[in-house]
Amino acid sequence: MLSCWGAAVGAAVSVPVLLLVAAPYIRRYVAGGQCKSTAKLEGKVVIITGANTGIGKETARDLARRGARVVVACRDIAKAEAAASEIRAETGNQQVIVKKLDLADTKSIREFAERFLAEEKELHILINNAGVMLCPYSKTADGFEMHLGVNHLGHFLLTFLLLERLKQSAPARIVNVSSLAHHGGRIRFHDLHGEKSYNRGLAYCHSKLANVLFTRELARRLQGTKVTANALHPGSVHSELVRHSFVMTWLWKVFSFFLKTPWEGAQTSIYCAVAEELDSVTGQYFRTLHSHAFSPLTKTTDQSSSKSSSSS
C-alpha cells in the first residue's frame, strides 16, 4: 500500500517537473520558424486583406517596417484605422493606409479595386489573408455560403480585378493564406453553398481547399509573367478566427501555450511575400517556411486540367 502511495506521489512530482523542463522545447516547436529575410520594400505597394487583427496585422507591421506602402483592406474601418495608427507609430512608416473592403459583398470588392487602381499605379504584393471560420449557416450579400464566399470567391474576384496591375508591376507576388484543413475539404459541386446539408467545420475545409486549387491554377496561368502565386498554412494561431465557436474559443484559451502567437503565425506569410529565394517559386504550398505537399485532390484536379487542355 505504501509503495503504491509512493509511486503516486513520485508521479505527481515528476510529471510537472518534466513538463517544466520540456516547456521551452515544446514552445519552440509550436512557434515554428522565423523569416530571416532582410529584404527592404521601399517603393513597393502591398495589399493585405483582414490586416486589422491577428496574423494579417502582424504581416502588415513587418512589411511596413521594411518600408512598403501597405494598404490595410478591411470591412471594419474603425478597427482598421486603430491598427494602422498603431503600426505607423511603431514603425515610423506613414504609408500605412486603410481602405474599406467587404469580401462578403462583390459590390464592395469592385469598388475597392476601382478606387485602388485609380489611386495606385503599382501593386507588387497581394496577400489574401482575411477569412472566417466555423460560422453558423449564413450567406454573403450575393447569396454565396459565407465560408466559400469570403475565404475563396471574394479573394478570387479581388485577385482577378487587380491581376493586370500586378503584371504591369512585375516581379510581383500573390500570397493566399489557406490552411492544413484543406486536406479535409471537398468541392461539393452538387451542393456548393451548403443548402442541402451544412457542417460549419467542413465548410471551412472546403473553402481552404478552394484556396489551394485556385493558387495552383493561377500559378499555371501566370507562367512567364513574373507574377508568382503561392499558398500557405500559418499554423494553429491564437487569434479571433474561432470567435464564432464558444467551444473553440474556450479551447484556444485553455491550450494557448500550444498555439502560435499572431506574430509567430505571420512568419510564413512574410516569408512567402519577401524571401529572395522565392523570386521564381510559384504554385507551391508552404508550412513553417518550407514547401509541403498539397492534398491529393489537387493532383487529381491538375490531371483533369491537363486532359482538358490536351483535348482542346
Side-chain angles (χ1 to χ4, degrees):
M1 185 70 176
L2 288 174
S3 61
C4 291
W5 274 107
V9 170
V13 172
S14 60
V15 170
V17 170
L18 286 172
L19 286 174
L20 189 62
V21 171
Y25 301 98
I26 295 171
R27 195 69 199 76
R28 196 175 303 130
Y29 175 79
V30 168
Q34 179 180 347
C35 178
K36 301 293 186 182
S37 172
T38 58
K40 296 298 181 184
L41 298 178
E42 284 91 353
K44 303 297 184 182
V45 180
V46 180
I47 293 176
I48 308 175
T49 65
N52 58 0
T53 187
I55 65 174
K57 181 179 176 182
E58 293 303 326
T59 303
R61 193 193 312 274
D62 183 280
L63 302 193
R65 191 176 283 119
R66 295 171 187 270
R69 179 174 173 81
V70 179
V71 178
V72 176
C74 298
R75 178 178 57 84
D76 189 332
I77 291 295
K79 199 171 181 179
E81 288 288 2
S85 178
E86 178 188 319
I87 293 170
R88 286 193 293 264
E90 183 180 318
T91 65
N93 183 347
Q94 299 306 305
Q95 295 194 83
V96 179
I97 59 176
V98 172
K99 292 186 184 296
K100 184 174 177 60
L101 171 66
D102 184 353
L103 288 163
D105 186 345
T106 57
K107 181 181 177 183
S108 174
I109 297 168
R110 292 181 184 279
E111 288 174 350
F112 170 88
E114 186 178 346
R115 287 196 308 272
F116 177 85
L117 294 173
E119 296 169 6
E120 305 287 345
K121 301 307 177 188
E122 294 181 300
L123 175 59
H124 303 94
I125 303 171
L126 170 62
I127 303 180
N128 290 320
N129 165 83
V132 294
M133 181 181 180
L134 302 174
C135 297
Y137 188 76
S138 57
K139 290 187 175 182
T140 68
D142 303 279
F144 305 131
E145 186 277 316
M146 190 60 71
H147 291 88
L148 186 67
V150 172
N151 296 352
H152 171 58
L153 295 174
H155 283 127
F156 179 96
L157 176 59
L158 178 66
T159 304
F160 172 76
L161 295 172
L162 299 175
L163 203 52
E164 287 307 312
R165 187 57 47 89
L166 283 159
K167 289 179 182 178
Q168 292 164 10
S169 308
R173 301 186 187 191
I174 299 166
V175 179
N176 294 323
V177 179
S178 182
S179 169
L180 183 66
H182 85 272
H183 285 279
R186 298 289 184 276
I187 304 300
R188 303 170 70 245
F189 290 106
H190 64 285
D191 188 22
L192 202 56
H193 300 292
E195 293 169 326
K196 296 177 182 177
S197 65
Y198 179 74
N199 177 292
R200 61 174 74 184
L202 289 177
Y204 177 74
C205 296
H206 302 333
S207 70
K208 293 291 105 177
L209 175 60
N211 290 157
V212 166
L213 293 170
F214 170 48
T215 301
R216 297 205 71 175
E217 180 59 18
L218 183 61
R220 187 183 72 81
R221 295 189 181 209
L222 289 174
Q223 287 177 2
T225 66
K226 294 187 178 179
V227 178
T228 62
N230 289 297
L232 65 96
H233 168 58
S236 297
V237 182
H238 194 282
S239 71
E240 297 177 8
L241 188 61
V242 296
R243 63 188 179 276
H244 294 290
S245 168
F246 172 79
V247 173
M248 289 298 291
T249 300
W250 181 80
L251 288 173
W252 250 226
K253 288 179 180 178
V254 172
F255 296 103
S256 59
F257 180 80
F258 299 99
L259 300 173
K260 290 185 177 184
T261 65
W263 181 85
E264 291 164 350
Q267 294 305 304
T268 305
S269 294
I270 296 165
Y271 176 71
C272 288
V274 306
E276 296 91 336
E277 62 268 28
L278 299 186
D279 280 345
S280 59
V281 175
T282 191
Q284 299 300 306
Y285 168 70
F286 288 85
R287 285 172 54 195
T288 58
L289 283 64
H290 296 288
S291 179
H292 282 257
F294 287 98
S295 161
L297 284 176
T298 63
K299 295 177 183 178
T300 304
T301 304
D302 283 346
Q303 289 167 1
S304 301
S305 251
S306 299
K307 287 178 182 176
S308 306
S309 300
S310 302
S311 60
S312 59

